[in-house]
Amino acid sequence: QDAPIPMPPPPTPAKAAGAGMKVGGSGVSVRSGPSRSHGVLFNLAAGQKVTVSGKQRGWLQITDATGRHGWAYSNLFSKL
């Protein structure tokens, strides 16, 4: 009689969509792309919370609590 075929392990649960971060210092300018050469879309005050959806060359792709999104330099944020 053939031995049963072992089942693969269950998939690892996906991480929550995006990491939570908090704006530090005196606030941050959120830009249209991951560099200072991109225009400023809006500003966030210190202490505001954002969700990070991507990273590129020291910049974070973020979304704020109202759904606005753009890029900001990662050194201006701290983890929640």
Side-chain angles (χ1 to χ4, degrees):
Q1 201 174 33
D2 292 335
I5 299 172
M7 295 297 292
T12 305
K15 291 182 180 177
M21 301 288 279
K22 178 173 70 170
V23 177
S26 59
V28 63
S29 295
V30 181
R31 299 178 177 272
S32 59
S35 77
R36 290 183 62 193
S37 65
H38 288 86
V40 175
L41 298 174
F42 57 94
N43 293 298
L44 292 174
Q48 287 189 270
K49 296 175 184 175
V50 299
T51 301
V52 177
S53 57
K55 295 179 183 180
Q56 187 175 336
R57 295 187 314 266
W59 291 76
L60 301 176
Q61 188 174 28
I62 58 112
T63 303
D64 73 359
T66 65
R68 299 180 299 179
H69 53 90
W71 292 84
Y73 196 64
S74 61
N75 286 358
L76 304 173
F77 292 87
S78 60
K79 292 183 181 179
L80 290 176

